[in-house]
Amino acid sequence: MLSLISRLNTHKESVCLFIKNFGVTFDNNQAESDIRMIKEKTKVSGCFRSMKGAQDYLTIMSYVGTSKKHGINAYEAILNAITGSPDIIFE
């Protein structure tokens, strides 16, 4: 316990960076962040109407999430996917 307190005290500036810089997330759990959007969608609409609809939604959200992680605008990525070049996010 003392080593944790010591480390937090030593790295206080880094640990509390999210307080000063709102671009920094409170945690670094990307998987949790990705799931949160799906949970919000089900809260708003109640549920998905079909398994196919849920799978389509998850495919699109996965593609958009990957494009964001690669620094590509979501709109641009979707437009490229629709026009036949979805591999833009893997270049």
Side-chain angles (χ1 to χ4, degrees):
M1 184 68 168
L2 288 176
S3 62
L4 175 61
I5 294 170
S6 175
R7 272 204 308 5
L8 288 174
N9 198 20
T10 302
H11 302 288
K12 185 177 182 178
E13 189 67 29
S14 297
V15 171
C16 297
L17 183 61
F18 71 93
I19 295 171
K20 294 178 183 176
N21 183 350
F22 295 119
V24 176
T25 59
F26 176 74
D27 65 353
N28 63 352
N29 189 346
Q30 188 61 47
E32 179 184 319
S33 180
D34 290 343
I35 291 172
R36 189 176 305 123
M37 190 63 192
I38 298 164
K39 187 64 178 169
E40 288 298 316
K41 169 73 172 150
T42 57
K43 281 183 181 179
V44 170
S45 63
C47 64
F48 291 99
R49 292 183 178 243
S50 68
M51 183 61 80
K52 174 87 169 98
Q55 290 171 340
D56 291 346
Y57 176 78
L58 294 174
T59 300
I60 293 167
M61 292 309 292
S62 174
Y63 185 80
V64 169
T66 302
S67 69
K68 284 182 184 179
K69 291 172 192 165
H70 287 263
I72 299 169
N73 181 313
Y75 176 76
E76 184 179 323
I78 291 172
L79 185 63
N80 282 325
I82 291 171
T83 58
S85 33
D87 294 338
I88 188 172
I89 63 172
F90 301 112
E91 292 177 349

